[in-house]
Amino acid sequence: MASSGVRLTDEQRLDWLRLIRSENVGPRTFRALLNRYGGARAALAALPELARRGGALRPLHVPSIADAERELVAARRWGVRFVALGEPDYPPALQGIDDAPPLLAVRGRLDLLQQPAIGIVGARNASAAGLTFAERIARELAEAGFAIVSGLARGIDGAAHRGSLALGTVAVLAGGQDRPYPPEHVELLEAIAARGAAVSEMPMGWVPRGRDFPRRNRIISGLVLGVVVVEAARRSGSLITARRALDHGREVFAVPGSPVDPRSEGTNDLLKQGATLVTAAADVVAALEPMLGRRFERPLDEPRPATLPLPFDLDPEPDGAVRDRIAALLGPTPVALDDLIRWSGAPPATVLTTLLELELAGRLDRQRGARVALM
């Protein structure tokens, strides 16, 4: 895998950490800010004014240098390294998605993140048959040369990690590296960190909340060539992972189950919708073999380490009347970005800048499929 060879300096890494930990700054906003200001330090200086123009009712929380340094010290204490988007150690498949974490906290083997990977997810209340199958297919796929990625959850996730532990497994955490969930998997996580890798985008000390698990799922699907779903109810996090995998252009595999077992309703639905049926590791390998030579393009070819591409440039400072017109077109119902640009009559750069200001003010909800709404 080709690499840009560019690494952040210690000062840049500290600035990146402060920016991504700032209030209302997510991966897409981070990218927009760096593209507009050319570096995290300049973006940090601009945040208060941008949020004010977006209608923020109080000052935006921006971590101090001391706050970021404390997190770096805590991370080092746990053996955690922060790998930046575009650096050689960043997982090549993950950095191809549009909401890739700018900084990934990694404990364990960085080299494992460069291997072709397969995700295995499924029910927390899995059956004995499901657990046995997940453990077996994880082991066999690891023996075939794939890193096995899962979310450290109870049930299928834990079985997949245990089955591939000896050869290489990656746990994606919903919380900070020092706050694993569930608590009964603390020992498993330590074994994974010693022989495989654990990754997270969340701050040290962060206790995972409900909304953090779908965020984790996009990292699972972003890291892999395909996702195998073993037992999943119709409304489950595993199906969210499968949908994100499709969004990322990954393969989705499903293990068929009994039509009278609610834990198989989701996987059987995936099969009806065109997922690849899996009854053995060989099914996955055969489907992925044509993809193994595919090169995941990095977003940064000849980068300055602090500049990331956007579809459009940003307007340095939109006219107030135009900004108001764009905001007036937004409401609680999500609207496609292309439609917002068309109906506003404003240049794309102006619309994107206005959305950035609204997001920093905590007033914008970005949704899948490039859709936005007011909060």
Side-chain angles (χ1 to χ4, degrees):
M1 182 61 60
S3 166
S4 66
V6 176
R7 295 185 186 274
L8 298 185
T9 65
D10 291 343
E11 292 79 10
Q12 285 175 321
R13 203 174 307 274
L14 190 69
D15 290 339
W16 276 44
L17 186 59
R18 290 182 64 207
L19 185 58
I20 193 56
R21 300 293 188 239
S22 294
E23 186 178 6
N24 297 332
V25 176
R28 291 187 182 92
T29 308
F30 182 100
R31 181 176 297 209
L33 288 165
L34 260 67
N35 202 48
R36 175 169 177 176
Y37 293 101
R41 184 162 300 181
L44 286 163
L47 284 182
E49 176 61 16
L50 288 170
R52 186 196 64 78
R53 293 208 309 251
L57 300 178
R58 56 175 177 77
L60 202 68
H61 173 69
V62 177
S64 66
I65 293 174
D67 291 335
E69 287 176 338
R70 277 192 291 272
E71 183 173 354
L72 288 173
V73 169
R76 283 194 292 269
R77 193 177 301 128
W78 279 80
V80 173
R81 290 161 284 186
F82 287 99
V83 181
L85 183 66
E87 290 188 317
D89 295 327
Y90 198 92
L94 181 62
Q95 64 183 335
I97 70 173
D98 64 356
D99 54 354
L103 284 175
L104 198 63
V106 182
R107 188 156 64 115
R109 293 172 48 194
L110 287 172
D111 67 288
L112 192 59
L113 302 179
Q114 304 298 313
Q115 288 184 208
I118 295 172
I120 299 178
V121 298
R124 288 174 169 81
N125 63 332
S127 68
L131 293 170
T132 300
F133 182 83
E135 188 174 62
R136 187 185 78 204
I137 197 171
R139 182 180 64 254
E140 292 174 352
L141 288 171
E143 289 171 348
F146 294 96
I148 302 302
V149 179
S150 198
L152 199 71
R154 300 179 180 97
I156 296 300
D157 288 24
H161 287 309
R162 291 186 176 95
S164 55
L165 184 60
L167 293 168
T169 189
V170 178
V172 183
L173 310 182
Q177 286 276 7
D178 54 346
R179 292 291 186 270
Y181 182 87
E184 61 264 32
H185 281 178
V186 169
E187 288 187 12
L188 175 59
L189 177 59
E190 291 306 309
I192 292 171
R195 307 177 73 171
V199 303
S200 173
E201 67 176 329
M202 305 308 288
M204 298 296 292
W206 187 269
V207 178
R209 303 161 299 177
R211 65 184 182 184
D212 296 323
F213 292 93
R215 291 182 59 175
R216 174 206 62 185
N217 293 347
R218 90 183 193 287
I219 298 178
I220 294 174
S221 61
L223 283 167
V224 302
L225 295 171
V227 174
V228 179
V229 184
V230 184
E231 293 189 344
R234 281 208 168 98
R235 291 186 175 90
S236 70
S238 300
L239 297 189
I240 294 175
T241 307
R243 286 195 294 271
R244 293 309 299 264
L246 290 173
D247 290 344
H248 297 152
R250 310 317 196 224
E251 294 294 312
V252 174
F253 304 90
V255 178
S258 168
V260 297
D261 188 342
R263 290 171 295 198
S264 293
E265 288 178 346
T267 47
N268 289 340
D269 285 348
L270 286 174
L271 291 169
K272 293 175 187 177
Q273 295 161 16
T276 300
L277 187 147
V278 170
T279 58
D283 299 327
V284 179
V285 175
L288 293 180
E289 273 180 338
M291 301 173 60
L292 291 179
R294 188 174 96 193
R295 183 170 181 262
F296 286 95
E297 296 294 338
R298 295 173 178 261
L300 309 177
D301 291 326
E302 294 295 335
R304 288 185 301 163
T307 304
L308 300 172
L310 276 178
F312 305 104
D313 291 330
L314 292 170
D315 188 342
E317 187 168 349
D319 175 81
V322 177
R323 183 189 292 116
D324 292 343
R325 184 168 76 246
I326 294 167
L329 288 168
L330 293 167
T333 302
V335 60
L337 177 58
D338 288 346
D339 290 339
L340 182 62
I341 293 170
R342 180 164 60 91
W343 288 111
S344 71
T350 300
V351 175
L352 289 175
T353 299
T354 301
L355 295 179
L356 174 62
E357 293 170 355
L358 291 169
E359 187 167 19
L360 288 171
R363 299 175 58 200
L364 189 75
D365 179 21
R366 290 190 186 270
Q367 301 191 6
R368 294 172 59 209
R371 298 168 70 83
V372 292
L374 281 185
M375 296 176 65

